[in-house]
Structure formats: C-alpha cells, structure tokens
Amino acid sequence: MPTDFEAIRQQLLESNDEFRQLATQHHDLDERIHNLATRPYLSEPEQLEEVTLKKRKLHLKDQMEHMLRHSH
C-alpha cells in the first residue's frame, strides 16, 4: 500500500468515486476563483461569490485530506 500522500491521492482518484467527485469539484471551484481573480474589478455580488467559493473550496480540501489521512 502506498505510503506517501501523492501516491495515496492517486490511488483514491482511481478507485474512490467520492474522492474523485470531491477532487473534480475542488478543481472546478479553483478555476472559477481564478477567473474572478483575473478581473480588474469585482462587483459586490462577485466579491461575495469569490468569498463563498473560497470557503467551499477549503471545505472540499478538508474533506479530501480527511479521506487521505484515513485511507491507510
């Protein structure tokens, strides 16, 4: 069984549907946040969206790390 986190992460991506869905959602949120960050100006609703997306992304990361820590 793999011992480093990257190997475990790759194994979970290949074998665990829930982890794969979390990783996909995390990636999608990262792209949306990046798109907002490249704009020269954000309206108030866009600023709120950016904060909300960052919180959701962090929550997904926490869930993924929990699964990584408890997979071995």
Side-chain angles (χ1 to χ4, degrees):
M1 177 148 223
T3 56
D4 70 311
F5 276 127
E6 187 54 40
I8 295 169
R9 181 181 184 280
Q10 188 60 41
Q11 182 181 26
L12 285 172
L13 283 170
E14 294 170 2
S15 64
N16 186 304
D17 288 338
E18 181 183 3
F19 187 84
R20 191 170 33 256
Q21 288 174 353
L22 292 173
T24 299
Q25 290 174 22
H26 185 270
H27 176 75
D28 292 347
L29 288 175
D30 191 45
E31 284 185 357
R32 288 174 61 191
I33 292 167
H34 176 74
N35 288 339
L36 288 171
T38 59
R39 295 182 184 179
Y41 172 79
L42 294 178
S43 66
E44 229 175 279
E46 289 170 329
Q47 289 174 16
L48 180 59
E49 179 186 12
E50 182 182 36
V51 169
T52 302
L53 293 174
K54 286 180 178 181
K55 287 179 182 179
R56 287 177 50 204
K57 182 182 165 198
L58 183 59
H59 180 70
L60 289 171
K61 182 179 178 183
D62 289 345
Q63 288 179 284
M64 291 167 55
E65 287 183 4
H66 177 78
M67 291 177 78
L68 281 168
R69 282 192 302 270
H70 293 89
S71 69
H72 43 31

